[in-house]
Structure formats: structure tokens, C-alpha cells
Amino acid sequence: MSLDKDLETLVARAMRRATGEFPPHSADLVQRSVARGRRMRWYATARIAVTAAAVVAVGGTLMATDTFGGHRAGTRDQVRPGAGASGEQPPSHAPSSVSGEEMVRTLESLLPAGGTVSAASGRASEAGPPFVAPMAKLTYSTAKGSSGIDITLARLDPGIPDDQQGDGGCLPVEVRPYDTCTTERLPGGAVLNTTRSFTYPSSDTGQKRWYVVLTKADGVQLTVEEFGGGDEKGSSGGADPLLSIDQLTSIVRSPAWNKAATALPAPHDGSPSAAKPRVSGARMTKVLKSHLPRTGTVSDVNAGDGMVQLVYDDGHGRSMVEADAQYDMTAPLTGHMGCAGVPGHCEATTLADGTRVKKVQRPSEKGGAAQVWLVDVLYPDGRRVVAQEVNSYAESGPVTRPRPALDMAELQSIARDGRFVADRPARTR
């Protein structure tokens, strides 16, 4: 019995030590779910927006849980942005003319000579729903080390803005503070994005993640990414990936992928599966800017329907400030407008007209040292506005000032501004 008790003690202690030392989850996990989530709609949705089906309260903010998977962890390529989930169209099981084995062989043929390949796997495309993108992944090794490399092909949906689907474009500093990204327009209408990043975006150290995205004029998009030291999260070192950005670019631009691109199923028509209210990004930006002291400067504006983020600098350090507007939130927020289980300092009140106001000051959930202040306002008719700020230009970025630029009273003034949701917008069709 004593040996069993000793073993239990040792195992429990080892598990506690392991969980304490385990690196935090990737801060852009949800974002990378729908083709890295896209820079505008993901960040608003993952942080604040709630799908009608499910919401989870996390430190005073809300996270959608049913629509988003994890890009590069195996589910990104199973969810097509813009594709309806209603099942109106029967699944198509037409076989692809390119197999997973062919995908692997094509990727291997484009790697530099002299290296070895291991842990290779591939997948053919399926029309779905849900759409499954063709892909190949492997580990490439030389005497200098190893890199995990994978490539995915997809076809973007017409009628949906490119910045709301796919992998292209440079993510805003509020989301990926340590990325170095470039955009190049190629002859013929293609767009090339190259990014030097890190597997964990909350610091500028650790495993490096480089990726290149080629979006062709016909909507076909190829994404190749490489992880230094081995597979994703397989290394904690900061070694450069073996293949340079130029070599990754050569891979996505190779005509060897033409057969796989031709085998991609026809795109969805891009029409929304359900009408939803919307507030334009231009309107969100105008209202938020009107609350900022004019003695400061504004940069890095990132706006989309129902949300706006920007970086405000009052001369004493930069702060990320964000506002989100939503409708029909009474039912999804049932039980979440109080302070139970909320870390940090929280106050929740109900005004005479039934409006509920929740104020939270908490540490960042991104693994850094930043402080997040937010005010969440829910009106009796289901309209909702959330205003929040961070004492950094990104929640996962370095602290740039002792506290956020705006005090809680100023933040509440933003959240209570009825101009964000003054009239119910017409529903899109």
C-alpha cells in the first residue's frame, strides 16, 4: 500500500509540474480554424461574437464554440468559409483525380535535393459538405536539422470578400504582433503573401513558423507553411526553418500543382445561409474614433462588420482599443452577464431600464503580462456593445504602458454609445 501511495504522489506531482510548464495554447487557435480565421471576422467573432447555438463565458468575454475548428491541427480544411451548414445540398462523393499519395509525391519532388523525408501523409479533396481540402505534410531533414512542411489547396468562394475567407492577406498587429508579412501582386492577377511568424504568437521567441500563400486570379489558393525544428509544436527552439521564404514561394508557384487545382470542387455560390443583422466597419470606426482624445494618434485600424480595432497612442504608450456591436444576444448571454467565475476585478449592474452593464479588469488570457479592461453592455432588446482595451498594441504583445490609455469611465462611455446600434440595420439577403 505504501508503494502505491508513493506512486500516486509521484504521478500527481509530475502531472502538476508538466501542466505548469506546458506552453500556453496558440493564441490564434480559433482564428486559424477557418483558414486562420481571417483577420477581420475571426477576431471579432472569436473574442466577442457568439453563434446562436452556443457561447462560453471566458474572463468576461465570449467565445463562439460551434462554428470554428483549428487550422493546421486538422480541421481548418474541413470547414469552408461561406459554405452553408444547412444541408440543403446533398453531399458529393465524387472521387478526386488527385490522391493523397500524389499530393505527397508532388511536395517531395519540389524539396531541395540532399535531404530525407519522414512522417509523410496526404489527403485528396472531397466536395463535402463539409469541404475537405487536398493536402500533404511531411518532415524534411538535413544535416542542419529538420522542418515540418505542409501544403493545402483550396478554392475561394466568389461573392465573399477575400479578407473573410482563405489564408491570404496580412493579419493585423492586434492579432499577430510579431509577424513580418509582405504582399506582392503578380502579373496575371495573382497575389502572393509571405509571413515570418512564430508558432506561439504571444512572444517573439520559440519555434518559428513561416508560410507563403498564393491566391490565383481564378480563386485557387495554395498555402505552404514550415515549422523550424520539426512538426508544429514539435520544437521549443528558435532555429530558422530549413527552407527559405524564396524556396517556399517556389513550391506554391510550381505548375506541378495544376492537376490538384483542377480537381478542386466548384466553389459555393457565396450567398449567406441565413440573414443576419450587420453594422458596417465604417460606422464602427467613426463612432469609436469620436470618443478618443484628439491629443493622441490612431493607427492600425482593423474594421469589419460589427467590430473595429485600432491602436491609440496618447504619447505615453500604445493601447489597443476595440468595440463590437451585436444583435439578438439576450438568449445567448443568459447567465453570462454576472461576475461568477470571472477572473480579476468585476462589477455587474442592472440599470432601471433593464440594461445590464458588466465591467471587468483582468490579466490577459494570451499568456503575456498585458491587462485587459472591458465594459459589456446588453440592452433589454438584445442589442449588445462591448468596448475593451489593452495596455499594449495587442493582447499578446509586450506591455507598452502601466495601464490602458482610457479609464473605465471613458470605456463605459464608448460601450454605452447608442450610435453603435442606434437603429436595427436591414438584414442582408
Side-chain angles (χ1 to χ4, degrees):
M1 289 293 291
S2 61
L3 288 176
D4 290 341
K5 290 182 179 179
D6 289 344
L7 180 60
E8 287 182 13
T9 301
L10 289 172
V11 171
R13 186 178 301 160
M15 291 179 67
R16 285 195 299 270
R17 184 169 61 250
T19 56
E21 295 174 354
F22 197 83
H25 67 78
S26 177
D28 68 340
L29 180 61
V30 178
Q31 172 206 11
R32 290 167 59 196
S33 63
V34 185
R36 280 194 352 270
R38 288 317 313 134
R39 56 182 181 180
M40 293 186 185
R41 288 311 311 153
W42 171 80
Y43 200 56
T45 306
R47 295 187 50 80
I48 304 298
V50 184
T51 56
V55 290
V56 177
V58 183
T61 63
L62 295 172
M63 183 181 298
T65 58
D66 64 340
T67 307
F68 305 97
H71 163 39
R72 315 316 301 168
T75 57
R76 171 196 75 133
D77 32 29
Q78 297 174 8
V79 181
R80 170 122 56 122
S86 60
E88 295 177 357
Q89 297 179 343
S92 171
H93 299 291
S96 170
S97 60
V98 176
S99 67
E101 290 76 13
E102 287 180 281
M103 291 289 296
V104 170
R105 286 197 296 270
T106 302
L107 178 57
E108 287 187 21
S109 71
L110 299 174
L111 297 175
T116 60
V117 170
S118 61
S121 63
R123 182 180 58 234
S125 65
E126 296 180 14
F131 168 69
V132 178
M135 62 83 66
K137 66 178 300 183
L138 50 80
T139 299
Y140 175 75
S141 303
T142 70
K144 296 181 178 179
S146 299
S147 281
I149 303 171
D150 60 73
I151 186 165
T152 306
L153 279 71
R155 189 187 300 277
L156 302 186
D157 290 325
I160 300 177
D162 287 350
D163 59 10
Q164 295 181 24
Q165 61 174 328
D167 287 341
C170 292
L171 298 174
V173 67
E174 293 94 337
V175 177
R176 301 287 301 200
Y178 301 109
D179 279 11
T180 301
C181 179
T182 66
T183 299
E184 179 184 359
R185 297 194 176 276
L186 304 176
V191 178
L192 183 73
N193 294 111
T194 66
T195 304
R196 290 176 172 85
S197 185
F198 295 87
T199 301
Y200 296 102
S202 58
S203 71
D204 56 354
T205 59
Q207 187 183 38
K208 294 182 178 180
R209 170 178 171 249
W210 293 357
Y211 58 94
V212 175
V213 182
L214 176 66
T215 306
K216 297 185 176 181
D218 62 359
V220 171
Q221 188 173 86
L222 299 90
T223 303
V224 62
E225 66 178 346
E226 181 182 17
F227 296 91
D231 200 7
E232 180 178 13
K233 301 179 184 177
S235 171
S236 59
D240 283 348
L242 295 178
L243 273 62
S244 68
I245 288 291
D246 287 343
Q247 289 173 307
L248 295 178
T249 299
S250 296
I251 289 176
V252 295
R253 297 191 66 178
S254 171
W257 300 111
N258 288 349
K259 182 180 178 182
T262 302
L264 291 172
H268 186 262
D269 63 10
S271 59
S273 58
K276 297 180 180 180
R278 58 185 290 274
V279 184
S280 72
R283 175 175 166 180
M284 298 292 297
T285 303
K286 181 178 179 180
V287 177
L288 179 56
K289 281 185 174 182
S290 71
H291 284 272
L292 302 177
R294 300 195 178 191
T295 52
T297 60
V298 171
S299 64
D300 298 291
V301 177
N302 173 40
D305 289 350
M307 81 90 175
V308 59
Q309 301 166 313
L310 53 80
V311 176
Y312 175 72
D313 190 345
D314 62 356
H316 301 285
R318 291 178 289 173
S319 280
M320 188 272 283
V321 185
E322 177 181 339
D324 295 77
Q326 298 171 326
Y327 295 88
D328 302 322
M329 296 303 298
T330 300
L333 287 177
T334 299
H336 296 305
M337 288 303 291
C339 290
V342 177
H345 177 73
C346 177
E347 298 177 19
T349 58
T350 302
L351 306 182
D353 65 353
T355 299
R356 305 192 68 177
V357 180
K358 179 176 178 179
K359 296 184 286 187
V360 178
Q361 295 173 289
R362 61 167 175 80
S364 167
E365 297 171 345
K366 306 295 186 181
Q371 290 290 313
V372 178
W373 292 4
L374 68 89
V375 178
D376 192 342
V377 175
L378 177 65
Y379 294 97
D381 62 2
R383 294 175 298 155
R384 181 196 190 196
V385 178
V386 181
Q388 69 173 1
E389 59 177 337
V390 184
N391 58 336
S392 174
Y393 53 85
E395 187 172 342
S396 58
V399 169
T400 53
R401 51 187 299 129
R403 54 188 289 166
L406 308 177
D407 60 32
M408 289 299 289
E410 291 173 303
L411 203 61
Q412 180 167 328
S413 177
I414 294 173
R416 291 296 311 278
D417 191 330
R419 292 179 294 169
F420 283 117
V421 285
D423 51 356
R424 199 175 186 85
R427 292 180 180 269
T428 57
R429 294 185 181 276

